[in-house]
Amino acid sequence: MMNQSVQNSPRPFQTATIIRFLGSALLHWVLMGVGVILRLVHFLENRSLWSDEASLALDVICSSFSEVLQFIQIFPEQPKCSYLFYLAVKAVTGIFGDSEMVLRLIPLVSGILAIPLFYRIVRRFMDPLTVTIALTFFIFSDFLIYYAAELRQYSSDMLLTLIMYDIYLKDRVWTKGYVLGLIVFGMAVIWGSFSGSLVLISLGILYFIDGMVQRKKDWRQIVLLTLVFGYNFYLVYEIAIKPMTGSDYLLNAIQGGFIQGSILTVEALHWIKEAWLNMVRAPLGLQWPAVGLTLILMGAVITYSRDRRIGTVLLLPLILCFVCSLFKKYPFFGRHLLFMTPILIILIAQAIGYLMKLPRSFGVLGVLLWGVLLWHPVQTVITLAGEGRGFEEMRPVMQYFKKNYRPSDAIYMNSTGQFPYWYYVALLDVELPRERTKIWRDQEVYGHKVGRFWEYFLDDQPVPKIALRYKYDYYSRDGYFRHPDYDIENHPPEANPRTWVILSHISPAVQAFILDYFESRGELIDRFEGEDSFVYLYDLSANQKH
């Protein structure tokens, strides 16, 4: 009986061995290696640029270095990226070319560098097991993987946030060299990341308190930093942020990220609740938002109670970002919060790690929460690594178009599909007829007539209206798009025996409406349908039906 009792009892040696392995440096490095591989796999898919990426790509590759340096954009009505990101992508394309992979190189490098930097930061104030928990959520974050191969600055925003935390958490001596380094890096953050400025302001407040209250002799350096950063932030606000906040077109696109109604109304309180829950869904990508938010709040309390300095530096940027959304200055949702993902992951890991160290059922609860919350991200990432993340695959559509296009053909497209169209005209060297010539920005450009379907809404109707407008797309001598000119008379489609309809980034209802319109006027003679991108060839020679 004694031997049987011993055999059935828990085995502390085995439990301790498992815990040591879960917190081992070997496992940490394996996880980081997996993270790099997952990001590289996504990057090497080399999916086509979709509409949002293509608009930024055109601003980069179709602008001269002089225009980039002056922040002169081809599409000023589109969302702006930060000045330094814009300049960095232009420099990379100037060296390596204009392909999709080159355009996404900076986000990739940012996403990969963020992995060891995140590890370095969390090791400063977490035990090894909690570090493992944080790393698993960071490594298998679908949003972090996706934006590591997306031509947007969200990945580099997140990297700059981590660099700022790394600098702040280090021991510092206010030497002239240290202050100069802070000035240079702070200016790089302000000009290189809109969201990073929120973190910089938060850390600046903490630097100010630290320097003015605890070390009064440092007040001159603190004031100098405040003046330099304040002036540079003012310049960035006037040049880039203010035009966007004054654009109804852009504000409507991110309306869900701002509070709805007065702050004391039921509508506003509902928005606040949903905003925090949606933050757990995106960008954290967790399937149980209520559980995730509870762990975030629990982790905030635990972190602050253990170390007020760490807790404050983690929570202040999150609070500031939310306050800005209340004043409609920064959207509190989705990809715009990607720079906060490391902070949210740290808070969740702190909560789960705390539970796992508690005795009996609480420890089991911590293990279950870790597994349940991590299951969906891991499953999603592994599935997408095998199946790919391609959507709006415009490249094969444009390759088919180039192969079959003739100079006398007519071309029609939807408004959002024109950005990838213009990009692939340049990348694939599609030869279009030069029907007009003019001087634009001291450069000779050549125009080609196309028809564009434009969606618009009337104030009292939720269903969009669709209008057909003609324009001349003007290109430089080497085939790069420069600007559209809509100042021409509109009319029904011409009776052309070869009329192309190119569609991308379009709803099924609008696509069906456009195709029904052309089929009512002629005969479909060819088609090529890719992933969410399409091209159709019609014979309208006799306008057989109208």
Side-chain angles (χ1 to χ4, degrees):
M1 294 291 295
M2 179 70 70
N3 292 338
Q4 185 178 1
S5 175
V6 171
Q7 289 175 359
N8 292 336
S9 64
R11 300 181 179 180
F13 174 76
Q14 292 183 354
T15 303
T17 302
I18 293 172
I19 292 175
R20 278 199 302 272
F21 171 73
L22 288 176
S24 66
L26 174 62
L27 181 59
H28 294 164
W29 282 99
V30 169
L31 286 170
M32 288 192 285
V34 170
V36 172
I37 291 171
L38 289 172
R39 285 148 180 79
L40 284 174
V41 166
H42 176 35
F43 175 75
L44 294 174
E45 289 175 24
N46 194 27
R47 56 188 174 85
S48 302
L49 294 189
W50 70 291
S51 183
D52 274 15
E53 289 183 290
S55 65
L56 176 55
L58 289 164
D59 262 328
V60 171
I61 68 173
C62 298
S63 300
S64 65
F65 265 105
S66 174
E67 290 171 330
V68 171
L69 287 171
Q70 298 175 67
F71 212 41
I72 298 174
Q73 296 181 293
I74 295 177
F75 305 110
E77 73 281 1
Q78 293 296 314
K80 298 184 188 304
C81 66
S82 67
Y83 179 74
L84 286 184
F85 182 82
Y86 187 34
L87 187 61
V89 176
K90 181 65 177 178
V92 171
T93 57
I95 299 172
F96 300 110
D98 304 329
S99 71
E100 300 95 332
M101 295 181 76
V102 171
L103 287 163
R104 293 171 175 146
L105 194 58
I106 289 177
L108 174 70
V109 172
S110 298
I112 290 177
L113 290 179
I115 295 173
L117 187 56
F118 177 77
Y119 178 56
R120 170 171 162 163
I121 290 170
V122 295
R123 286 182 64 195
R124 287 197 172 103
F125 56 90
M126 284 182 173
D127 62 85
L129 177 59
T130 309
V131 168
T132 302
I133 298 169
L135 270 179
T136 55
F137 285 107
F138 193 87
I139 293 305
F140 294 104
S141 168
D142 182 47
F143 280 81
L144 293 182
I145 294 171
Y146 174 79
Y147 284 105
E150 170 92 350
L151 181 56
R152 284 292 172 185
Q153 65 181 69
Y154 304 117
S155 184
S156 57
D157 287 345
M158 186 260 299
L159 177 65
L160 286 174
T161 296
L162 289 173
I163 294 175
M164 282 186 278
Y165 275 117
D166 186 53
I167 293 174
Y168 181 82
L169 294 174
K170 286 180 179 178
D171 294 331
R172 52 186 179 271
V173 179
W174 290 92
T175 63
K176 291 182 179 179
Y178 182 78
V179 174
L180 180 61
L182 285 181
I183 290 175
V184 172
F185 178 71
M187 289 174 61
V189 170
I190 293 171
W191 289 94
S193 171
F194 298 143
S195 59
S197 297
L198 296 175
V199 181
L200 185 67
I201 292 171
S202 302
L203 298 185
I205 293 172
L206 297 178
Y207 269 127
F208 183 84
I209 294 173
D210 186 42
M212 298 292 285
V213 177
Q214 298 181 18
R215 300 180 181 88
K216 293 183 179 181
K217 64 181 181 180
D218 299 328
W219 69 269
R220 293 184 181 85
Q221 292 92 328
I222 300 294
V223 171
L224 175 63
L225 289 173
T226 303
L227 291 175
V228 172
F229 292 166
Y231 177 68
N232 278 270
F233 184 77
Y234 167 77
L235 292 178
V236 171
Y237 179 81
E238 288 293 325
I239 294 172
I241 299 176
K242 186 176 180 180
M244 289 193 289
T245 58
S247 168
D248 292 337
Y249 167 75
L250 295 179
L251 288 179
N252 287 335
I254 57 175
Q255 192 64 33
F258 300 129
I259 191 170
Q260 307 298 310
S262 174
I263 192 169
L264 298 179
T265 62
V266 174
E267 183 184 16
L269 294 176
H270 175 74
W271 177 87
I272 291 172
K273 182 197 75 172
E274 290 300 314
W276 285 89
L277 290 174
N278 287 332
M279 175 189 69
V280 178
R281 298 185 184 100
L284 274 179
L286 301 182
Q287 215 175 17
W288 305 90
V291 175
L293 184 57
T294 301
L295 290 174
I296 288 171
L297 296 175
M298 181 179 170
V301 173
I302 292 169
T303 304
Y304 187 80
S305 63
R306 288 175 176 173
D307 190 321
R308 290 187 176 183
R309 178 170 174 250
I310 298 294
T312 303
V313 76
L314 291 176
L315 295 175
L316 190 57
L318 184 61
I319 294 170
L320 180 61
C321 183
F322 178 69
V323 171
C324 286
S325 73
L326 299 181
F327 291 93
K328 299 187 176 183
K329 296 302 180 182
Y330 191 86
F332 193 83
F333 80 117
R335 64 187 183 274
H336 302 283
L337 297 178
L338 194 79
F339 75 105
M340 302 296 298
T341 302
I343 297 174
L344 300 173
I345 288 174
I346 287 171
L347 298 179
I348 288 177
Q350 291 276 62
I352 293 176
Y354 174 81
L355 289 174
M356 289 179 65
K357 294 179 185 66
L358 295 178
R360 298 181 182 177
S361 57
F362 286 105
V364 174
L365 176 62
V367 174
L368 288 175
L369 285 173
W370 185 16
V372 168
L373 287 178
L374 195 61
W375 171 253
H376 178 68
V378 171
Q379 184 184 43
T380 300
V381 165
I382 293 176
T383 300
L384 291 175
E387 297 178 356
R389 301 166 185 263
F391 67 100
E392 292 186 23
E393 284 295 328
M394 192 65 159
R395 188 195 307 118
V397 167
M398 289 300 294
Q399 289 171 336
Y400 184 85
F401 170 75
K402 176 186 177 181
K403 180 180 177 181
N404 296 278
Y405 174 74
R406 300 174 187 173
S408 60
D409 293 354
I411 301 174
Y412 295 83
M413 69 188 71
N414 63 309
S415 56
T416 49
Q418 63 189 350
F419 298 112
Y421 168 82
W422 287 327
Y423 171 74
Y424 284 107
V425 162
L427 185 70
L428 301 177
D429 195 22
V430 178
E431 294 186 13
L432 299 172
R434 299 178 177 183
E435 300 167 3
R436 285 190 177 185
T437 303
K438 70 175 185 179
I439 302 297
W440 188 75
R441 292 185 183 174
D442 300 324
Q443 182 184 33
E444 188 176 39
V445 292
Y446 305 92
H448 174 241
K449 183 179 178 181
V450 297
R452 189 190 81 161
F453 287 96
W454 173 57
E455 299 176 49
Y456 65 96
F457 290 84
L458 298 178
D459 292 337
D460 58 343
Q461 296 184 9
V463 179
K465 299 291 183 180
I466 301 175
L468 173 60
R469 300 176 62 188
Y470 288 89
K471 60 188 175 72
Y472 277 92
D473 290 340
Y474 282 92
Y475 299 85
S476 64
R477 185 182 297 273
D478 49 1
Y480 288 100
F481 178 77
R482 295 299 285 161
H483 86 109
D485 187 351
Y486 292 96
D487 190 20
I488 59 177
E489 184 180 350
N490 291 320
H491 54 79
E494 299 171 344
N496 193 310
R498 291 178 57 84
T499 300
W500 293 93
V501 179
I502 301 173
L503 305 174
S504 183
H505 196 72
I506 189 170
S507 69
V510 175
Q511 178 184 358
F513 178 88
I514 293 175
L515 296 183
D516 288 345
Y517 176 78
F518 277 92
E519 288 175 7
S520 71
R521 306 184 67 87
E523 179 183 357
L524 177 65
I525 58 177
D526 197 7
R527 70 168 69 188
F528 182 89
E529 297 184 338
E531 186 78 22
D532 301 320
S533 296
F534 319 89
V535 60
Y536 304 91
L537 181 61
Y538 287 90
D539 180 3
L540 306 183
S541 58
N543 264 340
Q544 295 107 321
K545 302 175 185 179
H546 285 281

